[in-house]
Amino acid sequence: MAKLYFKYGAMGCSKTAQALITKFNYEERGMKVLLMKPSVDNRDGATVIKSRIGLTSDAVTVPQTQDLYELYKEKYSDCDVVIVDECQFLTPDQVDELGDIVIDYNIPVLCFGLATDFLTHLFPGSRRLFEIAESISEIKSVCRCGVKATVNARMDDAGNIVYSGEQVVLGGNDRYVAMCRKCWLKKKKEQEAKGLFV
Ligand SMILES: [Zn+2]
């Protein structure tokens, strides 16, 4: 039976590369893949997904207002597999719609993305994936200290970690670094001691 998959990991854990490799593997077996990426600014259309190691692929951008079940039914029902990159930006309803595609069309839907935001809280879409996905797996990455990274720290231009702000910053040039929670909290104390705004 087909499943809804949630493959999550921290920033820089090669999620996008794995999404693109998974697409390639299905295509090699003659299967047609619908690759999509949620758009937080509600633009739709075509986009190119790039991984840091150089893999790229065309993808369909889906606004958060798009019913994904209807989209699949109307335009992409010839696809044998659905792969979503940056799935943390799906709405909970869209996750349910993907789950309905799995059941009604008996095809696998694989979602790659972050579990938590820069303040260690779950994204709403990721929470829904934890609740209903039939398969959940972690793509691991490592903090600079050698321990498993679990926090997606947001950095400002000066290289300081930001400890407040909106969950999603539109058009922001924020940088994110995966760290363990111990290092993240240590850095917070150091910044506070230096009187840096946190
Ligand atoms: Zn660490």
Side-chain angles (χ1 to χ4, degrees), residues 103-171:
I103 291 168
D104 290 358
Y105 292 89
N106 197 31
I107 63 160
V109 175
L110 299 97
C111 298
F112 294 80
L114 303 174
T116 55
D117 65 15
F118 76 110
L119 294 176
T120 71
H121 301 132
L122 286 171
F123 285 94
S126 305
R127 176 188 302 276
R128 193 66 190 135
L129 280 161
F130 277 123
E131 289 166 347
I132 70 167
E134 280 91 20
S135 168
I136 296 170
S137 54
E138 184 178 17
I139 304 168
K140 293 190 175 68
S141 59
V142 175
C143 177
R144 235 185 291 177
C145 73
V147 172
K148 188 171 93 171
T150 55
V151 180
N152 300 299
R154 184 185 285 169
M155 321 276 286
D156 66 12
D157 290 338
N160 293 307
I161 298 178
V162 181
Y163 293 91
S164 64
E166 296 295 314
Q167 184 172 55
V168 178
V169 181
L170 293 182

Side-chain angles (χ1 to χ4, degrees), residues 37-47 60-65 171:
K37 182 177 176 173
S39 92
V40 283
D41 52 10
N42 279 336
R43 276 182 298 193
D44 59 3
T47 189
V60 177
T61 313
V62 289
Q64 292 184 316
T65 49

